[in-house]
Amino acid sequence: MRYFVVFCLITFFAIPSIAQQTGLIQKVSGTIVNDNTSLPIQNVNVINLNKVTGTITNTMGNFEIAVSLNDTLHLSLIGFKSLEIRVTNDWIKNKTTKIQMTEKAIALEEVVVHPYNLTGYLEVDSKLIPIQENYRYSISGLTTGYEAGEYSPGAFGRVLGSIFNPADMLYNFFGKKTRELRKLKEIKKDDTVRNLLASKFDRETISVLLGIDKKEIAEIMERCNYSESFIKSANDLQILDAISECYEEYKVLKKK
């Protein structure tokens, strides 16, 4: 009986630590403040990179999010340096923590504005204005097409080259990053993450979520035959959708 009681006590105290080590999901909270003024910061985007879920801070700088031990949270806000925080045992035990973010140092220079007097008007023939046209080619057997940029004699050939030689064009990216690219479907399920990506054009969040360099994102888009104008003008959500679409087509072509 004595040994049984000792065993029960050991089990009772060991279960919480075992549960944490095995990835038990639970909610924790936090408060984000300005490290210079100690004032709370609202509208900070908080993304759990492991669970691919997100939230934002309220007017008091508070947030709540589901985590497991050792998950990584990515914090970002325009005007502040992005931050990555690891979920520790102390945080889970206390259920809350305080996080400081640093403002970016932006140097402002004096700008002199000179007035200009209008002396007339300029007539422009709208027919002479160049039009940026991007062409997408539909491929038999695929539900979507490929964008080849401006029309040129070799555009269609480049598209076919990327399709019939996927290993040469895409394997170095998709073939070696399958784990990161599997996150694409999960990323698009969370509304907070989608709204964040739709409002950003810096590719930072995509880079962190997929574990790739910003330069690689542009190169992936080029190898998937998206035009330069699309790559430069699209928001992060459009870029994510384009990478996802290209990756799905790559998997179909790889099976063939």
Side-chain angles (χ1 to χ4, degrees), residues 89-144:
N89 270 318
D90 289 339
W91 190 354
I92 292 179
K93 181 179 179 181
N94 298 325
K95 296 296 183 181
T96 186
T97 190
K98 187 176 181 180
I99 303 170
Q100 296 181 335
M101 291 187 70
T102 304
E103 288 186 82
K104 290 182 179 178
I106 302 176
L108 299 179
E109 298 181 357
E110 183 179 358
V111 177
V112 179
V113 180
H114 298 282
Y116 286 91
N117 296 323
L118 298 178
T119 58
Y121 63 92
L122 177 65
E123 291 186 359
V124 179
D125 187 349
S126 61
K127 294 181 180 180
L128 300 179
I129 300 176
I131 299 175
Q132 185 80 10
E133 294 184 346
N134 302 321
Y135 292 83
R136 286 189 68 82
Y137 299 91
S138 60
I139 309 300
S140 178
L142 298 179
T143 57
T144 54

Side-chain angles (χ1 to χ4, degrees), residues 28 31 40-41 45 71 95 101 106 111 140 144 149 166 168 193 198 221 236 243:
V28 296
T31 303
I41 309 174
N45 295 285
D71 278 357
K95 296 296 183 181
M101 291 187 70
I106 302 176
V111 177
S140 178
T144 54
D168 296 337
V193 177
M221 300 302 297
D236 285 3
I243 294 176

Side-chain angles (χ1 to χ4, degrees), residues 29-41:
S29 62
T31 303
I32 302 178
V33 299
N34 188 317
D35 68 344
N36 186 33
T37 64
S38 296
L39 295 175
I41 309 174

Side-chain angles (χ1 to χ4, degrees), residues 3-256:
Y3 291 116
F4 177 74
V5 172
V6 173
F7 173 77
C8 291
L9 289 174
I10 294 174
T11 304
F12 176 78
F13 288 107
I15 286 176
S17 61
I18 293 174
Q20 289 180 2
Q21 293 174 4
T22 54
L24 177 66
I25 299 176
Q26 51 191 307
K27 286 195 173 183
V28 296
S29 62
T31 303
I32 302 178
V33 299
N34 188 317
D35 68 344
N36 186 33
T37 64
S38 296
L39 295 175
I41 309 174
Q42 63 176 324
N43 295 326
V44 177
N45 295 285
V46 182
I47 298 178
N48 186 329
L49 300 181
N50 301 82
K51 303 292 187 296
V52 198
T53 56
T55 185
I56 60 174
T57 57
N58 58 20
T59 55
M60 300 302 294
N62 299 324
F63 71 91
E64 187 178 68
I65 192 168
V67 299
S68 296
L69 181 63
N70 293 325
D71 278 357
T72 300
L73 304 185
H74 180 74
L75 283 58
S76 63
L77 180 66
I78 296 176
F80 287 82
K81 294 181 180 179
S82 298
L83 194 63
E84 289 190 7
I85 301 294
R86 181 67 61 86
V87 177
T88 62
N89 270 318
D90 289 339
W91 190 354
I92 292 179
K93 181 179 179 181
N94 298 325
K95 296 296 183 181
T96 186
T97 190
K98 187 176 181 180
I99 303 170
Q100 296 181 335
M101 291 187 70
T102 304
E103 288 186 82
K104 290 182 179 178
I106 302 176
L108 299 179
E109 298 181 357
E110 183 179 358
V111 177
V112 179
V113 180
H114 298 282
Y116 286 91
N117 296 323
L118 298 178
T119 58
Y121 63 92
L122 177 65
E123 291 186 359
V124 179
D125 187 349
S126 61
K127 294 181 180 180
L128 300 179
I129 300 176
I131 299 175
Q132 185 80 10
E133 294 184 346
N134 302 321
Y135 292 83
R136 286 189 68 82
Y137 299 91
S138 60
I139 309 300
S140 178
L142 298 179
T143 57
T144 54
Y146 278 74
E147 182 177 336
E150 294 183 6
Y151 176 77
S152 63
F156 187 68
R158 289 196 301 271
V159 173
L160 291 179
S162 66
I163 291 173
F164 292 111
N165 296 284
D168 296 337
M169 301 297 291
L170 300 175
Y171 179 77
N172 288 335
F173 294 102
F174 292 154
K176 297 180 180 179
K177 296 184 179 295
T178 53
R179 179 181 298 178
E180 291 85 353
L181 291 165
R182 286 195 194 103
K183 285 186 178 180
L184 290 172
K185 291 183 179 179
E186 299 298 324
I187 291 171
K188 294 189 293 182
K189 290 180 181 178
D190 191 278
D191 290 337
T192 303
V193 177
R194 287 183 62 85
N195 293 335
L196 169 61
L197 293 173
S199 65
K200 299 188 71 174
F201 294 82
D202 59 7
R203 315 301 187 235
E204 178 189 351
T205 306
I206 297 178
S207 175
V208 173
L209 286 170
L210 297 182
I212 57 180
D213 190 79
K214 290 183 181 180
K215 295 180 181 178
E216 286 185 298
I217 295 173
E219 192 168 351
I220 289 173
M221 300 302 297
E222 290 175 1
R223 291 178 182 267
C224 290
N225 289 290
Y226 281 90
S227 66
E228 183 178 353
S229 62
F230 174 80
I231 297 172
K232 289 182 177 179
S233 62
N235 62 40
D236 285 3
L237 181 59
Q238 291 172 319
I239 293 293
L240 183 69
D241 286 337
I243 294 176
S244 178
E245 176 183 315
C246 188
Y247 179 54
E248 292 301 322
E249 293 178 355
Y250 165 79
K251 290 195 297 183
V252 173
L253 294 170
K254 185 180 179 182
K255 290 180 181 179
K256 294 180 179 182

